[in-house]
């Protein structure tokens, strides 16, 4: 019995659908549905994202007195015009 459109050199009962099913079964046989991996791809992406974040340094704590001294010194420097230019830029 020969099917229409089938190559006469191929064995009887061999069709394209069986070939596709056999290839699919061979691919599926190699897959594992075990989800016991400790991390997933999305977890790895989150870890990379976390490592690329900027964490600013915390400045050392100063007393109220030293803060006022620094402010007064800055105001005097600003009003006094220590720079010959006046804009404070130095090359």
């Amino acid at each position: 019995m020969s099917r229409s459109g089938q190559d006469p050199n191929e064995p009887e009962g061999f069709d394209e659908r069986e070939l596709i099913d056999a290839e699919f079964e061979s691919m599926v046989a190699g897959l594992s549905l075990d989800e016991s991996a400790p991390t997933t791809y999305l977890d790895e992406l989150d870890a990379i994202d976390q490592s690329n974040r900027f964490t600013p340094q915390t400045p050392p704590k100063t007393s109220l007195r030293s803060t006022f001294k620094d402010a007064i010194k800055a105001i005097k420097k600003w009003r006094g015009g220590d720079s010959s230019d006046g804009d404070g830029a130095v090359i």
Side-chain angles (χ1 to χ4, degrees):
M1 241 183 170
S2 143
R3 294 184 186 165
S4 62
Q6 189 176 17
D7 188 11
N9 295 334
E10 291 181 0
E12 190 172 326
F14 180 79
D15 65 348
E16 189 175 329
R17 183 68 185 168
E18 289 178 1
L19 177 64
I20 291 171
D21 288 341
E23 287 181 19
F24 179 75
E25 289 297 325
S26 68
M27 287 189 293
V28 170
L31 296 177
S32 171
L33 299 177
D34 180 23
E35 294 187 19
S36 63
T39 61
T40 64
Y41 179 69
L42 295 176
D43 292 335
E44 292 174 12
L45 288 179
D46 285 340
I48 291 170
D49 187 39
Q50 292 293 331
S51 68
N52 287 337
R53 291 191 179 201
F54 173 73
T55 52
Q57 296 178 350
T58 54
K61 293 186 177 186
T62 58
S63 66
L64 186 60
R65 182 174 173 87
S66 66
T67 302
F68 280 120
K69 281 185 176 181
D70 290 341
I72 291 170
K73 186 172 28 171
I75 291 171
K76 284 182 179 178
K77 183 177 180 182
W78 173 70
R79 292 191 108 215
D82 289 343
S83 175
S84 60
D85 226 20
D87 65 354
V90 178
I91 298 179

